[in-house]
Amino acid sequence: MTTNEHMVELALERIGEGYVFPEKTAAIETAIRGRLAAGAYEGLDGPALCETVTADLQEVCPDKHLRLLWTDEPQSTAPVDDDGGEAAFRALLREENQGIRRVERLEGNVGLIELRLIATAAEGASAIGAAMQLVAHSSALVLDLRGCRGGSPEGAAMWCSYFFPDDQVHLNDIYDRCTDSTRQFWTVAHLPAPRYVDRPVHVLTSEVTFSGGEDVAYTLQAHGRAVVVGGTTRGGAHPTARHAVAEHVLVTVPTARSINTVTGTNWEGVGVVPDLPVPADQALEEALKAISRRTM
């Protein structure tokens, strides 16, 4: 067995063990093994292999979280070190200021928070609270998720909690295949900064906005707490584990699915559809116009 064949077989094993829709794994295995037998992956270098296998996976099962990823940082392939990518994600969050790119006060006393990642609630609480403290006395808030590429469900619930008056709002549920259990996500009772209620909130989105960023946008929109402005998001609603199948190759396996308590569904495959659809580069301008009209 070649190295590429071995990596693909390990990836299929992980998908079979953990994919949130087990009824789809047989079709995935049949399609990918057919491509293996046809020699489709022979001679491909790591990045090309990841790109080709991902395209084949998503052709048979269009789940944007289901993919092979190349990483420049070597990963341990020892089973004892396999934590589903959690340690690497926490390290990334620390490098990127818990996902908070900037906090500003704009003209008209409008607060702006730009996020690139959604931090975990445990490690990100202080940074999230610091950002919310800086906008606590603004008249309106813009939450810029146009470049937000994912993150933690617990962190998404914490961000959303700031925009509701108490801990009595049932935001969403997540069904996990591995444990065959459903976890409820409610607004958080105790937050390290004041809640942001009774003031307008606009969320900016783009075709880049993904996963955890979509979670925040979709949840606030569904509960009527924010107006979404910009472009339709990428459409990835399945919490995902990452497993190393080689030092530089990861397979990402959606192991759970989100269920919004208002809509009964999620944004998988369709994205978050904005209330005010405009090109992403015009979203901030459009949101500020909407805020101005509302506060006049």
Side-chain angles (χ1 to χ4, degrees), residues 3 6-15 17 49-50 67-88 240-253:
T3 300
H6 181 64
M7 284 190 284
V8 172
E9 286 292 346
L10 285 177
L12 289 176
E13 183 179 323
R14 287 298 192 179
I15 292 168
E17 291 172 351
L49 176 70
C50 291
R67 51 193 171 162
L68 248 59
L69 290 178
W70 175 263
T71 173
D72 292 328
E73 185 73 22
Q75 306 293 310
S76 171
T77 58
V80 70
D81 295 329
D82 188 2
D83 64 354
E86 286 297 317
T240 301
R242 297 184 176 199
H243 304 285
V245 295
E247 275 197 342
H248 295 280
V249 178
L250 304 171
V251 60
T252 66
V253 183

Side-chain angles (χ1 to χ4, degrees), residues 113-193:
I113 300 176
E114 181 183 356
L115 300 181
R116 293 299 175 91
L117 289 168
I118 303 299
T120 63
E123 292 197 18
S126 294
I128 295 169
M132 291 303 300
Q133 185 68 60
L134 289 172
V135 300
H137 301 294
S138 59
S139 302
L141 179 65
V142 175
L143 192 60
D144 188 350
L145 302 178
R146 288 177 292 181
C148 187
R149 56 193 189 275
S152 160
E154 292 85 1
M158 174 165 279
W159 273 110
C160 290
S161 295
Y162 278 95
F163 306 109
F164 297 92
D166 51 38
D167 61 352
Q168 300 301 304
V169 181
H170 186 184
L171 299 170
N172 52 43
D173 296 330
I174 292 182
Y175 168 76
D176 182 80
R177 176 195 166 183
C178 296
T179 59
D180 191 27
S181 63
T182 298
R183 179 180 176 184
Q184 296 183 346
F185 287 81
W186 292 70
T187 45
V188 178
H190 302 290
L191 296 169

Side-chain angles (χ1 to χ4, degrees), residues 18-35:
Y19 188 45
V20 66
F21 298 111
E23 68 276 8
K24 297 183 179 182
T25 58
I28 292 170
E29 291 178 7
T30 298
I32 299 304
R33 289 208 171 97
R35 296 284 285 158

Side-chain angles (χ1 to χ4, degrees), residues 206-235:
S206 76
E207 66 281 354
V208 174
T209 312
F210 191 56
S211 192
E214 292 176 291
D215 187 347
V216 173
Y218 188 91
T219 301
L220 293 177
Q221 182 189 57
H223 284 269
R225 188 57 191 92
V227 176
V228 177
V229 185
T232 300
T233 62
R234 284 177 62 191

